[in-house]
Amino acid sequence: MQKKSVVNEAEQIQLAMEMIRLGARLQLLESQTTLSRERLIKLYKEMKGCSPPKGMLPFSTDWFLTWQPNIHSSIFFNIYKFMVDYADVSGIQAIIKAYSLYLQQVTDGSQEADANAEPVLSLTRAWTLVRFVESKMLTLKGCSCCGGQYIVNTYDLNNQYVCNLCHVPSRAGKTKKAKELSYKLVSMTA
């Protein structure tokens, strides 16, 4: 009979807690820890006060290629690549550390300003992105204008690639949140 290690179980619980804190979905928790589904659900409910969300995980590369998600995905993946190449971190630990650094960059350290706002890239999507790049469905490509490295479809023609920051799409900034903000500014000045 195999003995259970209390230390190993504590490490798995700590890993699951860190991923839950960062917003991981149940499927991600199940794939990266050795804890049972029941224990993960119980832990999720205890930490978040509600059941974990249901539904399928992202499965398409298309989301990572649209203008705003592409910028955020590229920021995250460049941090992740640096962690793997230079910080001697790998696997889920590299994803967690890179995602934490990504959150620091995109929230500008002011999470109190808009506590209800979710980051563009979730931990689950970040994990999925790493899997897509490892399976060679997506890759990094340098922008011919600024030289930055951005996520692109491996099988697209990417000669003379220009990123979404150098060539901003005409629809950029026309999100619902931007419209609400401009409406508030107009009504404040009126």
Side-chain angles (χ1 to χ4, degrees), residues 7 42 93:
V7 173
K42 194 175 190 179
Q93 290 299 331

Side-chain angles (χ1 to χ4, degrees), residues 36-47 52:
S36 70
R37 182 177 179 86
E38 293 76 29
R39 290 202 68 187
L40 290 170
I41 291 171
K42 194 175 190 179
L43 184 61
Y44 193 97
K45 285 180 181 179
E46 188 175 329
M47 288 185 67

Side-chain angles (χ1 to χ4, degrees), residues 4 10 20 38 47 63 72 84 92 128 145 158 170:
K4 285 190 174 183
I20 291 169
E38 293 76 29
M47 288 185 67
W63 184 88
H72 285 261
V84 170
I92 192 64
T128 304
C145 190
N158 293 310
S170 60

